[in-house]
């Protein structure tokens, strides 16, 4: 079955004030790890991530580099739509990319511009790939400073800092910034009444987030803050703990250049997180989206107005918690392509099959990347399962990003278990 998306990133930019051709860079940067001689660690737009989160052992480093340069980055490639996308060789297989894109309607497929990291002409080749196009990117990088970007890397860096959440027009929980350079402020973490939440300023996907509801969790937070200070961290965000029994949502919308036009609501996913706040996926109920849009309209508008004050245009993801008075509070802001792009654009596809629920999930399995297509062939052909990317991270292991639909939540969970079972029994 051919998959047609509700819209694409390229279409959203074209319809909201950026009509010229765009080229997209989907790569993330790392502050403590060189991915390649031509992809060194970031020294300007640094992030606060703990390197041990990604790669705790030296022998894991080759796998991590390969993962970071293929599956981590390009799992959202099909959702870019009809625009150019930069991908780096030799870490991305043309066969793997083509196999993923062949599932989608031809008029919505991106055009891949391959740049060889091993080439002595890498920088020149990349320059040619982006020539005469507006550059859209996932994370700001040093090499973007002198390029024609839809949003300057300096602005992106500021907007995606946790410090920006103290903006008075953003509807957030009570929060404050604490300087780790002052001992008296650091001591407040030891004596502060539980519960509360600590976040490092430049982390994502729940990394650098500590939810302290017990003294044991306080101790874990203090140890994390100590490591953070050793890496050069200076400030942290401390906020009230919102004890909500309702789902936590990842809300996706697009902000255009015209302030008189309402932001385009794209969808809200229920966040799947670990007990310590690390994001591991999302579930969406397409039938619920109209009601969620109504409930979140004022919150979305407030965030959009704030971003437009800085001339931001692009995808936005906000994490929302409803408090005890049913007020939606913004607990995180991602003024960039957010993870929700991997699931919110499939509503017409799944609803046409009578599948109002969908989920995205990352799976690993032994053998080549093509193995998952064989193992799940019937469900892929029916359209219930979509493999947005499958890539090899070692000579014997592959990782895939899958989106799948279900008739009910229980059905969705059953499909998730079935995928794991099939991959375990067929490919081991």
């Amino acid at each position: 079955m051919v998959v047609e998306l509700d819209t694409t990133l390229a279409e959203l930019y074209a319809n909201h004030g950026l009509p010229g051709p765009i080229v997209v860079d989907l790569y993330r940067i790392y502050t403590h790890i060189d991915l390649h001689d031509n992809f060194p660690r970031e020294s300007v737009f640094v992030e606060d991530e703990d390197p041990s989160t990604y790669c705790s052992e030296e022998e894991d480093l080759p796998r991590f580099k390969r993962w970071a340069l293929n599956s981590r980055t390009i799992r959202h490639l099909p959702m870019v739509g009809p625009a150019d996308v930069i991908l780096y060789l030799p870490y991305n297989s043309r066969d793997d990319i083509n196999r993923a894109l062949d599932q989608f309607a031809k008029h919505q497929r991106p055009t891949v511009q391959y740049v060889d990291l091993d080439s002595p002409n890498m920088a020149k080749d990349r320059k040619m790939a982006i020539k005469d196009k507006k550059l859209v990117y996932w994370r700001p990088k040093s090499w973007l400073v002198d390029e024609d970007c839809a949003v300057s890397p300096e602005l992106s860096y500021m907007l995606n800092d946790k410090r920006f959440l103290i903006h008075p027009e953003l509807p957030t929980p009570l929060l404050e910034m604490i300087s780790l350079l002052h001992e008296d402020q650091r001591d407040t973490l030891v004596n502060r009444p539980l519960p509360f939440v600590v976040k490092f300023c430049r982390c994502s996907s729940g990394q650098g987030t500590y939810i302290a509801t017990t003294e044991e969790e306080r101790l874990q937070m203090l140890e994390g803050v100590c490591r953070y200070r050793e890496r050069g961290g200076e400030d942290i965000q401390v906020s009230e703990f919102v004890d909500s029994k309702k789902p936590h949502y990842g809300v996706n919308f697009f902000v255009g250049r015209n302030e008189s036009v309402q932001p385009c609501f794209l969808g809200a996913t229920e966040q799947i997180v670990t007990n310590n706040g690390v994001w591991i996926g999302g579930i969406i109920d397409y039938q619920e989206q109209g009601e969620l849009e109504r409930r979140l309209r004022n919150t979305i508008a407030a965030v959009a107005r704030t971003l437009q004050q800085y001339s931001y245009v692009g995808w936005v993801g906000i994490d929302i918690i409803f408090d005890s008075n049913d007020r939606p509070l913004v607990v995180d802001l991602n003024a960039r392509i957010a993870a929700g792009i991997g699931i919110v654009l499939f509503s017409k596809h799944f609803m046409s099959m009578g599948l109002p629920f969908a989920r995205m999930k990352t799976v690993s399995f032994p053998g080549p990347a093509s193995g998952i297509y064989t193992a799940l062939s019937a469900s892929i052909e029916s359209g219930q399962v979509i493999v947005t990317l499958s890539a090899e991270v070692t000579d014997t292991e592959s990782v895939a990003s899958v989106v799948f639909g279900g008739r009910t939540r229980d059905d969705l969970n059953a499909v998730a278990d079935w995928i794991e079972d099939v991959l375990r029994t067929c490919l081991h």
Side-chain angles (χ1 to χ4, degrees):
M1 174 181 285
V2 175
V3 178
E4 183 157 357
L5 300 167
D6 301 348
T7 186
T8 65
L9 190 67
E11 292 165 2
L12 287 165
Y13 274 103
N15 294 334
H16 291 85
L18 203 67
I22 65 171
V23 58
V24 181
D25 173 277
L26 289 170
Y27 287 89
R28 180 169 180 171
I29 51 91
Y30 298 89
T31 303
H32 305 284
I33 298 173
D34 297 319
L35 296 181
H36 189 277
D37 290 346
N38 281 324
F39 203 126
R41 68 191 64 191
E42 181 60 40
S43 59
V44 177
F45 303 110
V46 298
E47 297 194 359
D48 293 339
E49 83 282 359
D50 186 338
S52 65
T53 301
Y54 302 109
C55 197
S56 58
E57 303 292 341
E58 187 68 26
E59 56 264 29
D60 294 335
L61 193 54
R63 180 190 185 279
F64 170 79
K65 290 181 177 181
R66 198 164 169 180
W67 170 78
L69 287 168
N70 60 31
S71 59
R72 173 73 191 271
T73 294
I74 58 175
R75 57 188 172 172
H76 302 324
L77 173 64
M79 284 64 84
V80 169
D84 287 359
V85 180
I86 300 169
L87 293 185
Y88 291 119
L89 298 172
Y91 296 91
N92 290 290
S93 160
R94 295 174 190 264
D95 288 343
D96 292 343
I97 299 302
N98 291 337
R99 187 180 292 111
L101 295 181
D102 282 348
Q103 300 168 98
F104 293 83
K106 287 185 178 181
H107 70 279
Q108 290 187 327
R109 294 178 195 171
T111 300
V112 178
Q113 301 290 344
Y114 290 100
V115 176
D116 191 348
L117 282 178
D118 290 340
S119 170
N121 300 316
M122 189 281 295
K124 181 179 179 181
D125 294 341
R126 183 171 63 194
K127 195 80 172 177
M128 287 300 297
I130 65 177
K131 184 180 179 182
D132 299 326
K133 304 180 187 76
K134 190 71 75 172
L135 189 53
V136 174
Y137 54 86
W138 185 20
R139 302 293 179 102
K141 307 168 186 67
S142 302
W143 70 268
L144 298 173
V145 170
D146 297 322
E147 304 300 341
D148 183 15
C149 298
V151 175
S152 75
E154 294 88 352
L155 176 60
S156 175
Y157 196 57
M158 181 193 76
L159 296 178
N160 288 289
D161 190 308
K162 297 295 187 290
R163 298 175 185 90
F164 188 73
L165 285 170
I166 66 173
H167 194 289
E169 295 182 31
L170 295 177
T172 65
L174 295 175
L175 56 84
E176 62 179 319
M177 301 304 302
I178 288 182
S179 172
L180 300 179
L181 301 179
H182 299 94
E183 185 175 358
D184 59 332
Q185 292 196 33
R186 295 199 305 270
D187 288 346
T188 63
L189 298 175
V190 177
N191 303 315
R192 191 182 188 96
L194 298 171
F196 60 93
V197 180
V198 168
K199 292 185 178 182
F200 299 165
C201 290
R202 299 188 185 277
C203 286
S204 60
S205 301
Q207 295 174 31
T209 295
Y210 294 88
I211 301 172
T213 61
T214 66
E215 290 301 330
E216 181 180 359
E217 290 172 343
R218 186 200 299 269
L219 180 59
Q220 293 171 353
M221 175 272 297
L222 292 172
E223 292 172 348
V225 169
C226 183
R227 293 193 301 271
Y228 172 51
R229 285 187 62 210
E230 291 172 354
R231 297 194 302 274
E234 298 181 351
D235 301 293
I236 58 173
Q237 179 202 98
V238 181
S239 67
E240 66 173 320
F241 173 74
V242 181
D243 188 12
S244 176
K245 305 304 180 185
K246 300 180 178 67
H248 298 185
Y249 289 98
V251 183
N252 298 266
F253 55 96
F254 197 92
V255 173
R257 291 201 185 281
N258 189 342
E259 296 184 19
S260 65
V261 176
Q262 290 294 316
C264 177
F265 176 80
L266 297 167
T269 66
E270 296 179 23
Q271 305 284 59
I272 304 175
V273 297
T274 62
N275 290 335
N276 58 354
V278 176
W279 182 88
I280 56 174
I283 292 174
I284 190 166
D285 178 354
Y286 295 119
Q287 298 175 117
E288 189 184 28
Q289 296 306 299
E291 174 62 16
L292 283 171
E293 180 180 8
R294 184 192 64 78
R295 294 174 65 192
L296 295 168
R297 186 172 294 134
N298 291 340
T299 304
I300 292 171
V303 175
R305 283 194 305 271
T306 304
L307 294 175
Q308 286 172 328
Q309 293 173 14
Y310 299 87
S311 300
Y312 179 82
V313 56
W315 192 287
V316 180
I318 54 175
D319 292 348
I320 291 288
I321 294 178
F322 287 92
D323 68 8
S324 58
N325 295 316
D326 207 35
R327 291 181 306 162
L329 300 174
V330 178
V331 296
D332 206 358
L333 166 63
N334 296 304
R336 60 181 177 229
I337 301 168
I341 194 173
I343 191 171
V344 299
L345 303 181
F346 291 88
S347 67
K348 291 179 182 176
H349 171 78
F350 284 121
M351 289 294 285
S352 70
M353 300 175 62
L355 304 173
F357 293 90
R359 178 178 171 185
M360 52 186 171
K361 183 179 177 65
T362 300
V363 294
S364 60
F365 52 92
S370 59
I372 191 170
Y373 293 94
T374 302
L376 305 179
S377 60
S379 292
I380 293 173
E381 290 170 9
S382 74
Q384 184 174 13
V385 175
I386 303 164
V387 181
T388 58
L389 177 79
S390 183
E392 290 153 21
V393 291
T394 71
D395 292 340
T396 59
E397 180 192 2
S398 296
V399 171
S401 179
V402 295
V403 181
F404 49 93
R407 290 176 176 79
T408 64
R409 291 175 185 272
D410 289 341
D411 185 33
L412 201 62
N413 293 332
V415 174
D417 293 340
W418 173 80
I419 290 173
E420 294 279 7
D421 289 343
V422 169
L423 295 179
R424 183 168 52 250
T425 55
C426 293
L427 300 180
H428 280 73

